[in-house]
Amino acid sequence: MGRWLDSLVNRAVLLVVGLVVLTALLVALAGSLLSRSELEQQAANQVETIAQLVAGELDDKLSQRLEALSHVAQGFAMSEAAFDARAKILMRRQTALQHLFDGIYLIDAQGKVIAEHPESRNLIGSDVSNRSYFRLASEQFTPLISEPYRSHYQGKPAVMIAAPLFNNKQRFIGVLGGAISLAGEHLIEEFSGIPIGKTGYLTIVTRSGIVLANGRTGEVMKPLKTVTPTLKDALDGFEGTAKTRSSRGESIILSVQQMSQVPWFVAAVWPASEAYAPVTRLKDAFLWVLLLVILLIVPVAMWRFRRLMAPLGELGLQVHERHLGVRNKPVRISGGSEISQVAEIFNMVMDERDDVLSSLAEREAFFRSLTRGAPIGIVQADVLGRIDFVNPVFENIIGMKLAQLSGTHLFDYVSGDDRDSAVKGWQQALKKQEVFRDRFRLQGPNAGSPVWCQVMTATLETPEKVMGTITVVRDISHELEVEKALRDEQLRAKNILSVMQDGVLMADTGGVIRYANHAAGRFLGADGEYLGKNVFELVGIDHENHPLTHEWFLDRDDLDSLYVTLRNGSGDVFDVDLSMIHIRQGRKNERLVFVLRDDAERRREEERLSWEATHDSLTQLLNRRAFTTSLNKCLSEMPRQDATSVLMLIDLDHFKPVNDEGGHLLGDELLRRLADLFKETVRQSDTVARLGGDEFGIILPACGLARAKTLAERIRAGVEALRIEHEGRMFGVTASIGMTELLLADRDPKDVVARADQGAYLAKSKGRNRVAVMPVAEP
């Protein structure tokens, strides 16, 4: 390949073909990128639309069933005895629910199934009290959709929509549940089979990682086997469309849509190979056309360029003859103007070379006679670095005579570790016509250890061309030894000066201060008059309540970050981070260098960490730990208070849609504004805390229940009135507030929090956006 490219004709042909190919590729690449970009956007939009439609339809169906079940549950207001007696009759009347669910169940307050549809499942009498949907419905008093579970009926996967039932006195009497089979026709099956293209499919997954439906494998109620980065983000709440790779390494378009009714998401998958197939077919067609064009261009270009370059071959033959001395006449050649110009320049150069060589021979004889007596090494070489002449000093450095050195390359005698960088710097300097300066080690084959030399090279040139180089070499081995000793001393001084921002003092072994900076004077308290005084007479140093004496420091090696207390004669006390360095330890003029750093910054850092441990970083309110501590304190102070204290728990209503529709940044801003509202509404002596998520707690010491109700109603109204505008929409929440009084009999704060929490649940069950006082049971 290298010989083929030596021909200018071949190079020209290659250039033409390269330009044609490059132009075609650039045009094709631009078209491909535009086509692929548009196709990618269309494919992404299609996948995203399918995922949105399926997620929306699932949400609508779940919402329809939740509302229907909740509506029926509200009509079951009867006594517990009547509920148990009429359960089967009530079940037979629920014709509408029978069309919406795969199974309907009436469950009493103890968690036993007392009626079912269809009755053929024989689940009456089964105990479901351990099921999460029963526990949550009986504790939260609000309708809910359960996590997927394995049902008692043949172990089939299902989800349960459960609604709590209350008697006329709002006491919990049982649960109405509607079961939806994940493999049944009511909900999942009709969606998972929806195709995307030929090979795309839909998958429905819970955020806990359970596959509810897989359009590719048909799996139901299986753990998610492989979690890609995009699916991991989807489990954390991500929603959107991205190009990623499947568990099998296949490039896919994946669109994730989170559902609002349940913590599930719909993932629509379309293989990129199918989505981008039209672009691939277009690329293959273009490559075949490009190959055909190249096969037509190459022969034509070869023929034309060979004819144009024929005179240049004849010129090369005459130049070669002139160089060998076979031809004495100037070269003559016909052809293009460029070739004629080359011939003229060559003739001119040859004439000038002859004149210069004659003059150079005379000057060289004079130069060599002068350099032999020079005290430094001198080397004359050609432009490639090959040695023509050296003086005796350079011969001594290398250990070789001129006859041995002549014709060898100067850089052959540079030590191997320095050779590459020296050659590179020398070449760059000659290229820029600058003087080359460097220091490196020189060594002849018969010499001993390498010799450090200072080298300077300049070109020998005429106005027309460079004739060679002249290099000056100076032995600097002794100078480098002196420089190394100076650098060692400078390094020691730098180590001391680097800590000058702290207190630094140097004392001899007797404790007498030989040097101290201005910062050290603040610790010594001697009004600047401390040189020559004994440092251990000016200050006292304690570590862990034990005094550190002069002898104690002398017996120790270097110290690093010893926390001590320092007291000076002025009565000032400092918490100090102390370090000590021995200089010339055990030798004459031994010195002790003390570095004194004020430890106040560390204490401030500890205070900051303490604040962060007791406060919520988002709202600046107290966190749950500090809230529990305040509640314990309030309980302990109850006997000394004239009025009763009140605990208020605030649970925000409809906060999740704010996060889902407006984004988490909007949700965070709303929480901060609500925190400000709470603090502004209550007294300065009251405790306001964020207990987690959208739940807040307020402790009202010695407030009295009547005044606490007024404050709670003011907070509720303030929350309802607070609105934030985002992208043309208004966002806000309401609050369900539970309250309870603190009694002298209360000992465990968990009991008080549980009562207030029940009040919040009661407020939610009555429609939210209200205050509910949880009465204290009579002892």
Side-chain angles (χ1 to χ4, degrees), residues 672-682 715 718-719 722:
R672 283 192 288 268
R673 293 197 187 182
L674 289 173
D676 294 338
L677 170 66
F678 299 156
K679 289 188 289 187
E680 293 169 1
T681 305
V682 301
I715 289 173
V719 173
L722 180 61

Side-chain angles (χ1 to χ4, degrees), residues 607-622:
E607 292 174 357
R608 183 184 66 80
L609 293 175
S610 175
W611 188 91
E612 292 179 351
T614 58
H615 286 74
D616 174 57
S617 60
L618 175 65
T619 62
Q620 311 298 307
L621 299 177
L622 293 179

Side-chain angles (χ1 to χ4, degrees), residues 11-39:
R11 293 185 189 180
V13 172
L14 184 62
L15 177 62
V16 170
V17 173
L19 290 174
V20 171
V21 172
L22 180 61
T23 303
L25 288 178
L26 289 175
V27 172
L29 179 62
S32 176
L33 289 176
L34 291 174
S35 300
R36 187 179 182 89
S37 176
E38 183 176 354
L39 192 61

Side-chain angles (χ1 to χ4, degrees), residues 19-155:
L19 290 174
V20 171
V21 172
L22 180 61
T23 303
L25 288 178
L26 289 175
V27 172
L29 179 62
S32 176
L33 289 176
L34 291 174
S35 300
R36 187 179 182 89
S37 176
E38 183 176 354
L39 192 61
E40 286 180 356
Q41 185 62 45
Q42 291 176 356
N45 291 341
Q46 183 176 347
V47 174
E48 184 174 352
T49 299
I50 294 174
Q52 289 175 346
L53 290 174
V54 171
E57 186 67 19
L58 277 172
D59 273 329
D60 290 344
K61 288 183 176 293
L62 288 173
S63 176
Q64 175 190 3
R65 285 160 172 76
L66 181 63
E67 290 178 2
L69 196 74
S70 300
H71 178 73
V72 172
Q74 292 174 0
F76 278 52
M78 63 185 68
S79 67
E80 188 170 358
F83 174 67
D84 292 339
R86 301 177 59 193
K88 293 184 178 181
I89 298 174
L90 294 172
M91 178 60 68
R92 295 191 186 101
R93 295 178 179 177
Q94 308 308 318
T95 305
L97 295 182
Q98 292 171 9
H99 291 288
L100 294 176
F101 294 96
D102 293 299
I104 311 172
Y105 305 93
L106 282 175
I107 306 167
D108 65 16
Q110 287 72 41
K112 288 188 177 182
V113 178
I114 60 177
E116 66 174 351
H117 176 84
E119 298 179 356
S120 59
R121 296 190 175 182
N122 299 320
L123 296 180
I124 295 178
S126 299
D127 186 0
V128 297
S129 59
N130 60 338
R131 292 291 193 184
S132 62
Y133 62 81
F134 179 80
R135 293 199 307 271
L136 292 174
S138 61
E139 293 173 359
Q140 298 180 359
F141 303 146
T142 184
L144 55 88
I145 302 174
S146 76
E147 285 287 318
Y149 66 95
R150 291 283 180 180
S151 67
H152 288 301
Y153 179 67
Q154 298 179 353

Side-chain angles (χ1 to χ4, degrees), residues 209-419:
I210 302 300
V211 177
L212 302 183
N214 189 314
R216 179 172 62 85
T217 64
E219 291 179 332
V220 177
M221 199 67 178
K222 297 289 185 180
L224 194 60
K225 294 180 179 179
T226 303
V227 181
T228 64
T230 304
L231 286 178
K232 185 176 183 300
D233 294 338
L235 294 176
D236 294 333
F238 165 77
E239 185 176 67
T241 303
K243 183 178 179 182
T244 182
R245 290 193 175 275
S246 68
S247 59
R248 298 177 294 178
E250 179 185 16
S251 179
I252 60 173
I253 301 173
L254 174 63
S255 180
V256 176
Q257 294 295 322
Q258 301 287 345
M259 296 176 60
S260 59
Q261 292 295 327
V262 287
W264 304 350
F265 63 86
V266 176
V269 180
W270 196 6
S273 59
E274 179 184 345
Y276 307 150
V279 174
T280 303
R281 291 193 294 270
L282 181 63
K283 180 181 67 177
D284 293 341
F286 169 78
L287 291 177
W288 282 110
V289 173
L290 178 61
L291 179 60
L292 180 61
V293 171
I294 292 174
L295 292 176
L296 293 174
I297 289 177
V298 170
V300 175
M302 290 285 290
W303 172 77
R304 182 57 184 164
F305 281 121
R306 286 191 184 279
R307 294 198 58 183
L308 291 174
M309 299 300 292
L312 191 59
E314 186 179 348
L315 174 62
L317 180 61
Q318 294 185 24
V319 168
H320 183 64
E321 292 175 349
R322 179 73 186 271
H323 175 71
L324 295 177
V326 177
R327 181 186 181 92
N328 296 322
K329 298 180 180 179
V331 298
R332 292 287 183 266
I333 194 66
S334 59
S337 60
E338 293 83 358
I339 298 177
S340 300
Q341 186 177 8
V342 171
E344 292 175 1
I345 293 174
F346 175 77
N347 290 330
M348 181 178 63
V349 169
M350 291 299 294
D351 292 340
E352 291 179 353
R353 188 193 69 167
D354 294 341
D355 295 339
V356 171
L357 289 176
S358 176
S359 175
L360 187 60
E362 297 176 358
R363 295 185 182 185
E364 183 178 1
F366 178 72
F367 165 74
R368 294 189 178 187
S369 65
L370 291 177
T371 57
R372 288 189 178 278
I376 58 176
I378 298 177
V379 182
Q380 180 185 346
D382 61 17
V383 292
L384 299 178
R386 293 174 295 195
I387 297 175
D388 293 329
F389 170 78
V390 298
N391 70 343
V393 175
F394 187 80
E395 291 177 338
N396 293 334
I397 292 174
I398 300 300
M400 298 173 64
K401 296 299 182 180
L402 173 60
Q404 299 171 293
L405 294 170
S406 181
T408 62
H409 202 287
L410 172 62
F411 288 99
D412 290 342
Y413 306 104
V414 178
S415 179
D417 296 338
D418 304 332
R419 185 173 301 148

Side-chain angles (χ1 to χ4, degrees), residues 422-598:
V423 171
K424 184 178 180 180
W426 183 78
Q427 292 173 341
Q428 291 179 347
L430 293 187
K431 183 177 181 181
K432 298 178 180 179
Q433 296 186 348
E434 298 175 348
V435 175
F436 168 68
R437 294 181 176 86
D438 200 357
R439 57 171 62 182
F440 42 76
R441 291 166 291 184
L442 295 177
Q443 184 179 25
N446 302 321
S449 59
V451 179
W452 275 102
C453 296
Q454 180 75 46
V455 179
M456 180 176 69
T457 299
T459 56
L460 297 173
E461 57 185 85
T462 65
E464 292 81 14
K465 63 179 179 179
V466 176
M467 305 296 295
T469 62
I470 184 73
T471 301
V472 177
V473 180
R474 185 166 62 88
D475 185 349
I476 59 170
S477 301
H478 178 69
E479 295 178 12
L480 292 180
E481 292 176 359
V482 175
E483 288 180 3
K484 183 178 183 302
L486 289 174
R487 284 197 300 270
D488 292 341
E489 291 299 326
Q490 289 172 350
L491 181 59
R492 293 190 185 94
K494 185 177 180 180
N495 290 336
I496 296 175
L497 294 175
S498 63
V499 294
M500 290 296 290
Q501 67 272 21
D502 300 322
V504 179
L505 64 88
M506 181 172 64
D508 59 20
T509 54
V512 177
I513 298 174
R514 299 299 183 182
Y515 169 81
N517 65 354
H518 179 73
R522 183 169 66 91
F523 296 101
L524 298 174
D527 297 328
E529 298 296 327
Y530 36 75
L531 294 181
K533 296 182 180 180
N534 192 302
V535 62
F536 297 100
E537 294 176 357
L538 295 176
V539 298
I541 304 174
D542 295 334
H543 175 63
E544 297 180 351
N545 297 324
H546 293 288
L548 304 182
T549 62
H550 176 200
E551 292 74 20
W552 187 90
F553 285 99
L554 288 177
D555 293 340
R556 297 294 184 279
D557 292 327
D558 293 350
L559 299 174
D560 185 20
S561 295
L562 180 69
Y563 293 102
V564 300
T565 302
L566 185 147
R567 297 178 176 83
N568 59 29
S570 301
D572 300 324
V573 180
F574 300 92
D575 291 329
V576 173
D577 180 0
L578 182 143
S579 298
M580 182 188 72
I581 304 172
H582 281 275
I583 298 179
R584 297 186 295 273
Q585 187 173 11
R587 294 181 291 171
K588 185 179 179 181
N589 294 329
E590 180 181 352
R591 294 289 186 265
L592 301 177
V593 177
F594 294 91
V595 180
L596 308 172
R597 181 177 292 110
D598 194 334

